Amino acid sequence: MKKVVIAGLLAAFGAALFLSAADTSFPIYFPNSKLLVKADVMNRTVYLPVKEIVQQMGVPYTDAIALETLTMRSGSNRLVVTKNSALISYNDQIILLPNPILREDNRWLAPAEFLTMGLTRLTGTEFRYRPGTSRIFAGNIEAPELEMNAQTLGPITRVTLRCAVPITLEVKREDPTKAVLTIDHTPLDPTRERVDHRDRLLHSVAFDDSDGQSKIVLDMVREVADLRVTSAENNRVYFIDLSRTPEPLTAAPPAAEPPAAAATKPDAVQAERKVRVVVIDPGHGGMDTGAKTAAFAEKDLTLTLARKLRAALQSRLGATVLLTRDSDASMNNEARSAVANNNQANLFISLHVGYSPNEADSGSSVFVMKEDFGESSAPASSARDRLFLPWYLGYRMHRPGSTAAASILEEELNKGIPAWKFTVRTAPLAVLSSATMPSLILEVGNLNNPTSAQTLVDSGFQTRLVNSIVDGVQKFSESPQAAN
C-alpha cells in the first residue's frame, strides 16, 4: 500500500513540473468516422482530451468535480481516472500509466497510452499509436503504409512516394517555398513523419494529416522553377522532380587536357539540328570502379572522356551538354537516365571501357536496348532499383532512333579509328531501359589487353575518339530519325 501512495505522490509532483505546452491537431481514425482533437504536447508527452474521445465512441461517463474523478462505464465494467494521478482503476484493478492524468479548464487530458492501457480494456476497441507520430488508428481500420524519400540526382532533386495502395496526387504550390501534395486516400500510415534533405533545391518533406486529409508538404527554395510529377506501378509510386530553370553547362575540361576539336564556334547549320541537349553518362563512379588495372580504373577513364566530349559537343555543335556526374560520385542506373529524362535530352550516351578475359579481344561495341526487353517479366535487379522498374519500357518509344544513332556512330567510329572494330550490339541494359530519348552505350577497348589499355589513356587517341563521336552525333542530329 505504501508503494502505491508513493507512486501517486510522485505522479502528482510530476504533473506540477509541466511548465509549458504546445497545441497540435491530432486525428483519431475509427472504422466509420474520424475525430479531430486538439492534443497538448507537454514535456514531449502527447495528451489527448478523454471526454471528446469517449463521447465519439458512445461511452457513458460521470465527471465528479468534487471528487476530481472521471468514471467511464461499458456494461458492468468501470474505468476510473483521478486528477494529477498516473494511477487508473479498471474494475478496481490498479494500472500505472507512464504519465499522470490532468484536468485543466474542464478538460480531462490523458497521455496517449491511456487509450491502449485503459480504454481498450473497457471497450474492447484496439488503439494503435506509434510514439512520435500524430495520429491514432482505432479498431480494424486499415491504414496503408506510405514511404517518403528524397535524393539529389544531378541537377534535379527527386522526391519518391511509395504507397501500399494506388493513390492520386493533387499538387498545389502555395508560395515560392512551399508545395502541398494532397493525397486522395485517408488514412495513411507514413513510415516517417518527416524527411530532412538539404540540398540546393529542397529542405524537407513532411507528412501532414492534422486536418484529417493526407498531404505531403515540400519545403523548398524559391529558385525551384518546375515540379514534375510522374506515376508508376499503377499509381502506387510517384516521382516528384524539382528543378531550376534549365541552364546550359559551360564548364570546360581541365586546362591540362588538349582541345578535342579544332573548331572554336558552333557550325552555321546549328538551327537545323534536332539534337540540342545531350546527356553524357560517365559509367561507374564512387565505390563502383568498373574494370581496372594496376594503373587506372574505368570510372576515371569514362569521366575524362566525358569531359572532353562535353567540350567538343559544346564547341562544334553549340549543344547544351550535361554530365550525369562530374566527380567521383556513385549513382544508380535510374539516377543516370533521370538526368536525361528530366532535362528533356535529345540524346543519351553512356560511356564505358570494355574488359574481356581474352587478352586478344580488341573489338569495341555500340549497345542499344534489346528490343523485347521487359515483355514477359521485369529484369532481375536489386531491391533499390526495383522501385524504378515501371519506367523500364520508356526506351521503346525511341528505340528506332537509338538504333539509327548507334549505326551512324558505328560508321563514324570505324572511319576515325578503324583498328578498333566497332560493332552495334543489343542487350538488356538497365541504364538505357527508362531513357525516353534515343540512347546508347559506347564500350571502348579492352582493359585486359595491355596495348589497348595503354592506348585508352593516350591523349591523342582520346581526341580522335571524341572527334569521331562528335561526327556521329552531328550526322545523327541532321538525320530524320533524331528526336524532335
Side-chain angles (χ1 to χ4, degrees), residues 215-251:
K215 296 182 291 295
I216 304 292
V217 180
L218 306 182
D219 179 14
M220 53 197 185
V221 302
R222 292 177 177 273
E223 289 74 16
V224 172
D226 186 38
L227 283 169
R228 185 173 303 176
V229 179
T230 307
S231 64
E233 290 192 18
N234 296 320
N235 291 346
R236 287 180 171 83
V237 175
Y238 279 85
F239 305 109
I240 301 92
D241 293 334
L242 286 64
S243 62
R244 297 173 183 258
T245 302
E247 297 177 358
L249 289 183
T250 58

Short mmCIF file of all heavy atoms in Angstrom, two decimals, residues 215-251:
data_model
loop_
_atom_site.label_atom_id
_atom_site.label_comp_id
_atom_site.label_asym_id
_atom_site.label_seq_id
_atom_site.Cartn_x
_atom_site.Cartn_y
_atom_site.Cartn_z
N LYS A 215 -1.65 14.66 -46.71
CA LYS A 215 -0.91 15.61 -47.55
C LYS A 215 0.59 15.41 -47.36
O LYS A 215 1.03 14.95 -46.31
CB LYS A 215 -1.27 17.06 -47.20
CG LYS A 215 -2.72 17.44 -47.45
CD LYS A 215 -2.99 18.89 -47.12
CE LYS A 215 -2.90 19.15 -45.62
NZ LYS A 215 -3.94 18.45 -44.86
N ILE A 216 1.32 15.80 -48.39
CA ILE A 216 2.78 15.88 -48.31
C ILE A 216 3.15 17.34 -48.51
O ILE A 216 2.70 17.98 -49.47
CB ILE A 216 3.46 15.03 -49.41
CG1 ILE A 216 3.00 13.57 -49.33
CG2 ILE A 216 4.98 15.14 -49.31
CD1 ILE A 216 3.47 12.84 -48.12
N VAL A 217 3.97 17.87 -47.62
CA VAL A 217 4.38 19.27 -47.71
C VAL A 217 5.87 19.33 -48.05
O VAL A 217 6.70 18.75 -47.34
CB VAL A 217 4.11 20.02 -46.39
CG1 VAL A 217 4.54 21.48 -46.51
CG2 VAL A 217 2.62 19.93 -46.03
N LEU A 218 6.19 20.02 -49.14
CA LEU A 218 7.57 20.19 -49.56
C LEU A 218 8.05 21.59 -49.17
O LEU A 218 7.45 22.59 -49.57
CB LEU A 218 7.70 20.02 -51.08
CG LEU A 218 7.17 18.73 -51.70
CD1 LEU A 218 7.43 18.73 -53.20
CD2 LEU A 218 7.78 17.51 -51.04
N ASP A 219 9.11 21.65 -48.40
CA ASP A 219 9.76 22.92 -48.05
C ASP A 219 10.96 23.07 -48.96
O ASP A 219 11.94 22.32 -48.84
CB ASP A 219 10.17 22.90 -46.58
CG ASP A 219 10.87 24.18 -46.15
OD1 ASP A 219 10.79 25.17 -46.90
OD2 ASP A 219 11.50 24.19 -45.08
N MET A 220 10.90 24.01 -49.89
CA MET A 220 11.92 24.10 -50.93
C MET A 220 12.41 25.54 -51.08
O MET A 220 11.94 26.44 -50.38
CB MET A 220 11.35 23.60 -52.25
CG MET A 220 10.06 24.26 -52.66
SD MET A 220 9.17 23.35 -53.93
CE MET A 220 7.83 24.53 -54.24
N VAL A 221 13.35 25.74 -51.97
CA VAL A 221 13.91 27.07 -52.18
C VAL A 221 13.11 27.81 -53.25
O VAL A 221 12.41 27.20 -54.06
CB VAL A 221 15.40 27.00 -52.59
CG1 VAL A 221 16.21 26.28 -51.54
CG2 VAL A 221 15.55 26.30 -53.94
N ARG A 222 13.23 29.11 -53.27
CA ARG A 222 12.49 29.93 -54.22
C ARG A 222 12.88 29.64 -55.67
O ARG A 222 12.08 29.84 -56.59
CB ARG A 222 12.73 31.42 -53.93
CG ARG A 222 12.13 31.91 -52.62
CD ARG A 222 12.46 33.37 -52.38
NE ARG A 222 11.82 33.85 -51.16
CZ ARG A 222 10.59 34.34 -51.12
NH1 ARG A 222 9.87 34.42 -52.23
NH2 ARG A 222 10.07 34.74 -49.97
N GLU A 223 14.11 29.19 -55.86
CA GLU A 223 14.61 29.01 -57.22
C GLU A 223 14.02 27.81 -57.94
O GLU A 223 14.28 27.61 -59.13
CB GLU A 223 16.15 28.88 -57.20
CG GLU A 223 16.88 30.17 -56.86
CD GLU A 223 16.79 30.54 -55.39
OE1 GLU A 223 16.43 29.67 -54.58
OE2 GLU A 223 17.10 31.70 -55.06
N VAL A 224 13.24 26.98 -57.24
CA VAL A 224 12.60 25.84 -57.92
C VAL A 224 11.62 26.38 -58.96
O VAL A 224 10.66 27.08 -58.63
CB VAL A 224 11.87 24.94 -56.91
CG1 VAL A 224 11.05 23.88 -57.65
CG2 VAL A 224 12.87 24.27 -55.98
N ALA A 225 11.87 26.06 -60.22
CA ALA A 225 11.03 26.58 -61.31
C ALA A 225 10.02 25.57 -61.80
O ALA A 225 9.01 25.93 -62.40
CB ALA A 225 11.92 27.03 -62.48
N ASP A 226 10.27 24.29 -61.54
CA ASP A 226 9.39 23.27 -62.09
C ASP A 226 9.21 22.12 -61.11
O ASP A 226 10.16 21.69 -60.46
CB ASP A 226 9.99 22.73 -63.41
CG ASP A 226 9.05 21.75 -64.11
OD1 ASP A 226 7.83 21.98 -64.07
OD2 ASP A 226 9.54 20.77 -64.68
N LEU A 227 7.96 21.67 -60.97
CA LEU A 227 7.62 20.48 -60.19
C LEU A 227 6.97 19.50 -61.16
O LEU A 227 5.85 19.73 -61.62
CB LEU A 227 6.63 20.82 -59.08
CG LEU A 227 7.17 21.52 -57.82
CD1 LEU A 227 6.03 22.01 -56.96
CD2 LEU A 227 8.03 20.55 -57.03
N ARG A 228 7.68 18.43 -61.45
CA ARG A 228 7.17 17.46 -62.41
C ARG A 228 6.80 16.18 -61.69
O ARG A 228 7.62 15.59 -60.99
CB ARG A 228 8.22 17.18 -63.48
CG ARG A 228 7.73 16.28 -64.61
CD ARG A 228 8.76 16.19 -65.71
NE ARG A 228 9.10 17.52 -66.21
CZ ARG A 228 10.04 17.74 -67.12
NH1 ARG A 228 10.75 16.74 -67.60
NH2 ARG A 228 10.29 18.96 -67.54
N VAL A 229 5.55 15.72 -61.86
CA VAL A 229 5.04 14.54 -61.16
C VAL A 229 4.84 13.41 -62.16
O VAL A 229 4.19 13.59 -63.19
CB VAL A 229 3.72 14.85 -60.43
CG1 VAL A 229 3.20 13.60 -59.72
CG2 VAL A 229 3.90 15.99 -59.45
N THR A 230 5.40 12.25 -61.85
CA THR A 230 5.26 11.07 -62.68
C THR A 230 4.83 9.90 -61.82
O THR A 230 5.40 9.68 -60.75
CB THR A 230 6.59 10.72 -63.39
OG1 THR A 230 7.08 11.86 -64.09
CG2 THR A 230 6.40 9.57 -64.37
N SER A 231 3.83 9.15 -62.28
CA SER A 231 3.35 7.99 -61.53
C SER A 231 3.92 6.71 -62.12
O SER A 231 4.30 6.66 -63.29
CB SER A 231 1.83 7.94 -61.52
OG SER A 231 1.34 7.76 -62.84
N ALA A 232 3.94 5.66 -61.31
CA ALA A 232 4.44 4.36 -61.73
C ALA A 232 3.77 3.29 -60.89
O ALA A 232 3.07 3.57 -59.92
CB ALA A 232 5.96 4.30 -61.59
N GLU A 233 3.97 2.04 -61.29
CA GLU A 233 3.41 0.89 -60.58
C GLU A 233 1.92 1.08 -60.28
O GLU A 233 1.45 0.93 -59.15
CB GLU A 233 4.18 0.62 -59.27
CG GLU A 233 5.57 0.09 -59.50
CD GLU A 233 6.20 -0.44 -58.22
OE1 GLU A 233 5.48 -0.71 -57.24
OE2 GLU A 233 7.43 -0.60 -58.21
N ASN A 234 1.18 1.44 -61.35
CA ASN A 234 -0.27 1.62 -61.22
C ASN A 234 -0.63 2.61 -60.11
O ASN A 234 -1.52 2.38 -59.29
CB ASN A 234 -0.96 0.28 -60.97
CG ASN A 234 -0.81 -0.67 -62.12
OD1 ASN A 234 -0.89 -0.26 -63.29
ND2 ASN A 234 -0.58 -1.95 -61.84
N ASN A 235 0.08 3.73 -60.10
CA ASN A 235 -0.16 4.83 -59.15
C ASN A 235 0.18 4.47 -57.71
O ASN A 235 -0.27 5.14 -56.78
CB ASN A 235 -1.60 5.33 -59.22
CG ASN A 235 -1.91 6.04 -60.52
OD1 ASN A 235 -1.00 6.40 -61.27
ND2 ASN A 235 -3.17 6.26 -60.80
N ARG A 236 0.99 3.46 -57.52
CA ARG A 236 1.48 3.15 -56.18
C ARG A 236 2.79 3.88 -55.88
O ARG A 236 3.18 4.01 -54.73
CB ARG A 236 1.68 1.64 -56.00
CG ARG A 236 0.38 0.85 -55.88
CD ARG A 236 0.67 -0.64 -55.70
NE ARG A 236 -0.53 -1.37 -55.38
CZ ARG A 236 -1.40 -1.82 -56.27
NH1 ARG A 236 -1.17 -1.58 -57.57
NH2 ARG A 236 -2.49 -2.47 -55.91
N VAL A 237 3.45 4.34 -56.92
CA VAL A 237 4.71 5.07 -56.79
C VAL A 237 4.60 6.39 -57.54
O VAL A 237 4.06 6.43 -58.65
CB VAL A 237 5.89 4.25 -57.34
CG1 VAL A 237 7.19 5.06 -57.31
CG2 VAL A 237 6.06 2.96 -56.54
N TYR A 238 5.10 7.44 -56.91
CA TYR A 238 5.13 8.76 -57.56
C TYR A 238 6.53 9.33 -57.43
O TYR A 238 7.17 9.24 -56.37
CB TYR A 238 4.13 9.71 -56.92
CG TYR A 238 2.72 9.54 -57.42
CD1 TYR A 238 1.88 8.59 -56.85
CD2 TYR A 238 2.22 10.32 -58.46
CE1 TYR A 238 0.58 8.42 -57.30
CE2 TYR A 238 0.93 10.16 -58.92
CZ TYR A 238 0.11 9.21 -58.34
OH TYR A 238 -1.17 9.04 -58.80
N PHE A 239 6.99 9.96 -58.52
CA PHE A 239 8.25 10.69 -58.52
C PHE A 239 7.92 12.17 -58.69
O PHE A 239 7.22 12.54 -59.64
CB PHE A 239 9.16 10.24 -59.66
CG PHE A 239 9.42 8.76 -59.68
CD1 PHE A 239 8.86 7.95 -60.66
CD2 PHE A 239 10.22 8.18 -58.72
CE1 PHE A 239 9.10 6.59 -60.68
CE2 PHE A 239 10.47 6.82 -58.73
CZ PHE A 239 9.90 6.02 -59.71
N ILE A 240 8.37 12.99 -57.77
CA ILE A 240 8.19 14.43 -57.87
C ILE A 240 9.57 15.03 -58.07
O ILE A 240 10.41 15.00 -57.15
CB ILE A 240 7.50 15.02 -56.62
CG1 ILE A 240 6.14 14.37 -56.41
CG2 ILE A 240 7.34 16.52 -56.76
CD1 ILE A 240 6.16 13.17 -55.50
N ASP A 241 9.82 15.55 -59.25
CA ASP A 241 11.14 16.07 -59.60
C ASP A 241 11.15 17.59 -59.54
O ASP A 241 10.35 18.26 -60.20
CB ASP A 241 11.54 15.60 -61.00
CG ASP A 241 11.77 14.11 -61.05
OD1 ASP A 241 12.12 13.53 -60.00
OD2 ASP A 241 11.61 13.50 -62.13
N LEU A 242 12.07 18.13 -58.75
CA LEU A 242 12.23 19.57 -58.60
C LEU A 242 13.43 20.01 -59.41
O LEU A 242 14.49 19.37 -59.36
CB LEU A 242 12.47 19.96 -57.13
CG LEU A 242 11.29 19.91 -56.16
CD1 LEU A 242 10.76 18.50 -55.97
CD2 LEU A 242 11.71 20.49 -54.80
N SER A 243 13.27 21.09 -60.17
CA SER A 243 14.39 21.58 -60.96
C SER A 243 14.33 23.10 -61.09
O SER A 243 13.28 23.72 -60.93
CB SER A 243 14.38 20.94 -62.35
OG SER A 243 13.19 21.29 -63.06
N ARG A 244 15.48 23.66 -61.36
CA ARG A 244 15.56 25.08 -61.65
C ARG A 244 15.25 25.31 -63.12
O ARG A 244 15.05 24.37 -63.87
CB ARG A 244 16.97 25.62 -61.35
CG ARG A 244 17.40 25.52 -59.90
CD ARG A 244 18.85 25.92 -59.78
NE ARG A 244 19.32 25.77 -58.41
CZ ARG A 244 19.47 26.77 -57.56
NH1 ARG A 244 19.18 28.00 -57.95
NH2 ARG A 244 19.91 26.58 -56.33
N THR A 245 15.24 26.56 -63.55
CA THR A 245 15.13 26.85 -64.97
C THR A 245 16.37 26.30 -65.64
O THR A 245 17.50 26.59 -65.22
CB THR A 245 15.05 28.36 -65.21
OG1 THR A 245 13.93 28.87 -64.50
CG2 THR A 245 14.91 28.66 -66.69
N PRO A 246 16.22 25.44 -66.67
CA PRO A 246 17.38 24.83 -67.30
C PRO A 246 18.38 25.87 -67.78
O PRO A 246 18.02 26.87 -68.39
CB PRO A 246 16.78 24.04 -68.47
CG PRO A 246 15.36 23.83 -68.08
CD PRO A 246 14.96 25.03 -67.28
N GLU A 247 19.65 25.61 -67.49
CA GLU A 247 20.72 26.49 -67.94
C GLU A 247 21.81 25.64 -68.57
O GLU A 247 22.17 24.59 -68.04
CB GLU A 247 21.32 27.29 -66.77
CG GLU A 247 20.34 28.22 -66.09
CD GLU A 247 20.97 28.92 -64.91
OE1 GLU A 247 22.15 28.62 -64.64
OE2 GLU A 247 20.30 29.75 -64.29
N PRO A 248 22.37 26.08 -69.69
CA PRO A 248 23.45 25.30 -70.31
C PRO A 248 24.65 25.25 -69.40
O PRO A 248 24.97 26.23 -68.71
CB PRO A 248 23.77 26.10 -71.59
CG PRO A 248 22.57 26.97 -71.82
CD PRO A 248 22.01 27.27 -70.46
N LEU A 249 25.30 24.10 -69.37
CA LEU A 249 26.55 23.99 -68.62
C LEU A 249 27.69 24.55 -69.47
O LEU A 249 27.78 24.27 -70.66
CB LEU A 249 26.84 22.53 -68.27
CG LEU A 249 25.95 21.91 -67.22
CD1 LEU A 249 26.44 20.50 -66.95
CD2 LEU A 249 25.94 22.71 -65.94
N THR A 250 28.55 25.34 -68.88
CA THR A 250 29.64 25.93 -69.65
C THR A 250 31.00 25.49 -69.15
O THR A 250 32.02 26.00 -69.56
CB THR A 250 29.56 27.47 -69.57
OG1 THR A 250 29.60 27.86 -68.20
CG2 THR A 250 28.27 27.97 -70.20
N ALA A 251 31.00 24.53 -68.21
CA ALA A 251 32.27 24.09 -67.65
C ALA A 251 33.14 23.45 -68.71
O ALA A 251 32.66 22.70 -69.56
CB ALA A 251 32.03 23.10 -66.51
#
